[in-house]
Amino acid sequence: MSVIMLVSLVLAGCSSSSSSEESSSDGKKVIKFMHLWPEGSSNAQFSIVKDIISEYEKDHNVKIETEILNPDQYREKLKVLASSNELPDIGMTWSDGFIKPYVEGNMLAPLDDIVTGDADLKDAFIPGVKESYAVDGKTYGLPLELNISYVFYNKEIFKKYNLEVPKTFAEYKNVVKTLADNGVVPATVGAKDGWPASFWFMYLADRIGGSTILTDVIKGKAKMDDPAIVKAAEEVQNLVDMGGFVKGASALSNDDAKGYFMNEQAAMFLTATWELPNYTTSPDVKQEFKDKIGYFKFPTYEGGKGTSINSYVGGPGVGLFVAKDSKVQKEAKDFVGYLVKRWGEKSVTDAGVIPATKVDTSKLDLAPMYIEILKDLGEASNVTTYFDTQSSPAVSELHHDLVTALFGKQVTPNEFVKQHADELAKEKK
């Protein structure tokens, strides 16, 4: 089902029950929980959630049944379930433009009562993060993560070819040329689903057009066909022409692409801090590999308006929602509050990811990379929420398709921005 069809269905509103009340064989109420951290690709997050569920079930008369999908499968399943108003009791959502049609379709329960009714949650969230899940002053999702994006790199490969960490985009292109000339894949990217490859476009738009340009496009304060945005798309294709990415990137998922970096077949991987466990804490990754990984901030662009290297593409990660028509809404809300609180410190100590809640790290034994990234966050001049997260679902899906086409050279930079502009114009009518 297309996102446009989903939105029309959602906005029309549905009244059927989203989940039927069930009891397990021992009479416990059943909460259905769908999330996107599979054991294979997100082991640290999967294990934390599994442990929290076990803790909760011991002390409460409920049974929590999980359905677990990878992020791209999850997005598709959520659309299908929303179209028939069969959302799980608890699910995961992204913020801003993603959550809005579900709220407007009267599918999600407000969660402000969870926060106001719990002294431990009232001031727990990092300022500004929870607000990204609010519509018309009410909160419909409680965030778990905060992400910023970096270029992670293999220090051993850089050393072999006498490469320095690039501070400017010209220096970055020299790194790409050296690696490509030596038969090394400079950077891996999974462009099949669009969003992983969009990081390159978003950062170039930030560095060329300024840190607010994509947000301004969403708000109608700037035009998608701004020359800086066209230039960002051109530079993406310049990197493609240079052999800057793994071959066949348009046919690779994010997990496929990640494999090239994890197996040391690519020198760099532009991704978000949800990957930190693989470079710091994950017991499934050899320490020998972790010791080789460093990171750098996306380089500045000569003559660009985005002059700060401390401006990031990132924003809230996933949050939790409760279905409005859930027959176990009270129990579901109680578990959501519990999970958010327990996730805070456990995500830091057990996974090495950045939570959306404040955590006192002074007494924790943390990996050096994690400490450096926390320091970076404190010094950030700007964090621009991912363009596809800020966008409506229709624009977001088109953006993913167009990014795939941009990397595959199936559209020109001008066609890329024009199709975006046309879809954005439709929404203004």
Side-chain angles (χ1 to χ4, degrees), residues 123-418:
D123 299 310
F125 295 97
I126 292 169
V129 182
K130 180 169 67 70
E131 288 74 10
S132 295
Y133 296 82
V135 178
D136 296 331
K138 292 182 179 179
T139 305
Y140 291 90
L142 293 187
L144 292 172
E145 304 172 301
L146 178 63
N147 295 304
I148 52 176
S149 307
Y150 292 103
V151 182
F152 293 92
Y153 74 105
N154 189 306
K155 292 184 283 189
E156 195 169 86
I157 295 175
F158 266 50
K159 185 178 179 182
K160 182 176 180 180
Y161 298 103
N162 298 312
L163 297 170
E164 299 286 332
V165 166
K167 296 284 191 348
T168 67
F169 192 64
E171 290 174 358
Y172 177 79
K173 287 198 279 193
N174 286 333
V175 168
V176 167
K177 186 175 187 308
T178 299
L179 291 168
D181 287 349
N182 284 280
V184 178
V185 175
T188 186
V189 62
K192 184 175 79 170
D193 299 307
W195 63 266
S198 179
F199 289 1
W200 292 91
F201 162 71
M202 289 186 286
Y203 259 124
L204 283 162
D206 173 294
R207 298 306 194 240
I208 298 169
S211 61
T212 66
I213 190 164
L214 291 178
T215 300
D216 288 344
V217 166
I218 298 290
K219 292 180 176 178
K221 296 179 182 177
K223 299 288 187 184
M224 189 70 192
D225 58 1
D226 186 292
I229 296 178
V230 177
K231 185 68 176 173
E234 287 174 355
E235 288 290 15
V236 166
Q237 289 195 333
N238 288 341
L239 290 175
V240 172
D241 291 341
M242 290 177 67
F245 303 109
V246 61
K247 286 182 181 176
S250 294
L252 297 178
S253 70
N254 187 57
D255 283 349
D256 294 333
K258 181 165 71 174
Y260 282 86
F261 188 66
M262 299 298 291
N263 295 320
E264 301 187 62
Q265 295 169 301
M268 295 177 286
F269 184 31
L270 171 54
T271 189
T273 44
W274 59 64
E275 287 294 336
L276 275 177
N278 286 322
Y279 316 137
T280 55
T281 60
S282 176
D284 300 322
V285 178
K286 291 180 180 177
Q287 188 61 42
E288 181 187 3
F289 172 79
K290 293 174 190 166
D291 291 342
K292 294 177 185 177
I293 305 307
Y295 76 89
F296 58 87
K297 300 167 187 178
F298 198 91
T300 55
Y301 191 92
E302 298 83 341
K305 294 179 182 174
T307 56
S308 174
I309 203 165
N310 292 318
S311 176
Y312 297 96
V313 167
V318 291
L320 298 168
F321 72 74
V322 173
K324 184 176 184 293
D325 291 338
S326 168
K327 293 294 192 297
V328 288
Q329 189 184 116
K330 182 184 174 192
E331 291 82 1
K333 283 187 172 185
D334 191 70
F335 175 66
V336 163
Y338 183 88
L339 196 158
V340 169
K341 286 186 290 185
R342 293 293 291 131
W343 172 264
E345 187 167 319
K346 283 176 79 69
S347 67
V348 174
T349 56
D350 298 2
V353 297
I354 299 169
T357 46
K358 303 167 191 170
V359 176
D360 181 5
T361 59
S362 60
K363 296 174 184 175
L364 303 178
D365 183 19
L366 301 173
M369 183 186 289
Y370 190 88
I371 293 169
E372 282 299 308
I373 286 174
L374 287 176
K375 184 182 173 196
D376 290 345
L377 262 175
E379 297 171 354
S381 59
N382 174 72
V383 179
T384 297
T385 300
Y386 304 112
F387 181 76
D388 52 349
T389 301
Q390 291 192 61
S391 304
S392 70
V395 172
S396 179
E397 184 165 281
L398 177 69
H399 177 66
H400 293 163
D401 291 344
L402 287 173
V403 168
T404 303
L406 187 71
F407 272 72
K409 300 202 73 177
Q410 295 158 320
V411 292
T412 66
N414 281 309
E415 290 167 342
F416 175 83
V417 298
K418 184 179 186 306

